[in-house]
Amino acid sequence: MQRRNCRIVVALLRYFAARGLLDIRRAFSALGAVKWPGRMQKIGDLVIDGGHNPDGVGALTASLAEVYPGEKFTVIYGGFRDKAVPECLKIWAPLARKMIFTALSPEKRASFPAGELMLLWEKIAPGVPCEKAENTADALRLARRSPSGKIVISGSLFLAGEVLENVAGADAAGDLV
């Protein structure tokens, strides 16, 4: 998804540069330095992405299939009730080796309990194992007990922020938590 966004930004930069409104070299240099925490962010064995709707999860799974062809993943997933969670889980089904579900815990926003996510998953992808975790730290611990391979965090920018804070410290999470 970020490649598509970047193409739009490049077109805009060229438009403004052609009108003398910016220095294209400085603009491209700045664009090259952009980092977006929680979007296809790799830290060790983790790929952290806040994809929380079918478009975002579809872009993430397409990127994963491109970068890691033929691989399956252990996925840590949590979703809010106001998102299209069943549709997102259907997108995950072909790439998941195992799903680990956890509830999200921000105040005043309803999320799916881990047990309910497990029931949805068992209908969508029977035979693909799943577990529930009490919290993000527990989900990471369970995921690392699984067979080797990449662990993907998906379903919410809130979850991505919690994982970043847990793994890389509060500074890495920025505004995601």
Side-chain angles (χ1 to χ4, degrees):
M1 186 165 289
Q2 299 318 317
R3 283 187 275 192
R4 183 178 66 202
N5 293 342
C6 190
R7 284 193 295 272
I8 294 167
V9 168
V10 167
L12 286 170
L13 292 176
R14 288 185 174 141
Y15 173 85
F16 290 123
R19 284 150 183 80
L21 298 172
L22 60 84
D23 178 336
I24 194 74
R25 282 182 280 211
R26 286 185 64 208
F28 280 149
S29 177
L31 181 61
V34 169
K35 292 185 179 23
W36 194 336
R39 290 297 188 185
M40 194 66 182
Q41 182 177 1
K42 298 175 208 167
I43 300 176
D45 60 345
L46 302 177
V47 176
I48 304 165
D49 192 280
H52 55 273
N53 58 38
D55 284 343
V57 173
L60 170 59
T61 57
S63 293
L64 289 168
E66 181 182 322
V67 174
Y68 306 105
E71 285 193 40
K72 295 210 176 222
F73 305 92
T74 298
V75 180
I76 297 173
Y77 189 93
F80 288 113
R81 287 212 176 265
D82 62 347
K83 301 298 175 190
V85 168
E87 291 82 355
C88 292
L89 293 178
K90 288 175 188 172
I91 295 167
W92 271 117
L95 289 180
R97 172 189 313 120
K98 178 180 185 178
M99 296 294 284
I100 299 172
F101 296 109
T102 188
L104 306 173
S105 58
E107 292 181 23
K108 299 181 182 177
R109 189 158 179 204
S111 74
F112 280 92
E116 192 173 333
L117 290 169
M118 287 180 67
L119 292 173
L120 281 170
W121 181 253
E122 289 166 353
K123 291 177 185 173
I124 290 167
V128 179
C130 63
E131 283 186 82
K132 67 179 176 177
E134 294 299 315
N135 53 46
T136 304
D138 186 40
L140 286 166
R141 184 184 55 75
L142 289 172
R144 288 194 164 125
R145 278 193 345 207
S146 296
S148 64
K150 291 286 181 197
I151 300 165
V152 181
I153 289 77
S154 176
S156 162
L157 286 167
F158 181 86
L159 179 60
E162 277 193 347
V163 170
L164 283 170
E165 189 171 19
N166 207 314
V167 171
D171 290 341
D175 294 329
L176 295 179
V177 177

